[in-house]
Amino acid sequence: MRHILYLDGAGRETQYHSTSEERDAASHFAGQTGGRVYETMVATVQAAGVRHISKIELLGLLQGTGHGDANWPSAYEVMTARRYVEQWSEHLINYGELPDDADLVALLATIYT
């Protein structure tokens, strides 16, 4: 999975999917060259055993040099990530707590339409 706002650089593989509550924001990141926009609901994600990190929670983590998994030595980079969360109405879906043998392809098919 790729997460564009990860503080160590765009496109780095992480355990997160970046999501937005704004269809226009999702369309922007899908681009003009064949990207797709998928839809899901928080309840669907949670029912699949995957953790949803809300925009409010992200904004709370992205203060100063960050808190928890958002801790980072550069307060400037944390502030930049926070601005992006605000700009794109971002939420995260965290697959990090799934077992190593989880069938992600099947899981994603149940979460996204």
Side-chain angles (χ1 to χ4, degrees), residues 87-106:
Q87 177 181 357
W88 300 109
S89 297
E90 185 182 19
H91 299 232
L92 292 180
I93 297 175
N94 181 352
Y95 300 92
E97 296 174 10
L98 293 176
D100 290 339
D101 62 349
D103 184 351
L104 286 180
V105 173

Side-chain angles (χ1 to χ4, degrees), residues 16-90:
Y16 305 103
H17 265 163
S18 178
T19 63
S20 177
E21 59 201 48
E22 303 291 334
R23 187 165 188 80
D24 289 343
S27 296
H28 171 81
F29 285 102
Q32 303 294 320
T33 57
R36 293 189 57 189
V37 174
Y38 294 90
E39 293 185 15
T40 193
M41 301 294 287
V42 171
T44 304
V45 170
Q46 292 173 332
V50 179
R51 185 169 182 285
H52 168 258
I53 303 171
S54 71
K55 176 181 167 185
I56 301 258
E57 184 178 353
L58 272 175
L59 292 174
L61 293 171
L62 294 170
Q63 295 183 39
T65 55
H67 303 278
D69 288 342
N71 184 272
W72 196 250
S74 169
Y76 174 78
E77 289 180 353
V78 172
M79 178 186 68
T80 300
R82 182 182 170 91
R83 280 196 325 245
Y84 289 148
V85 168
E86 292 169 340
Q87 177 181 357
W88 300 109
S89 297
E90 185 182 19

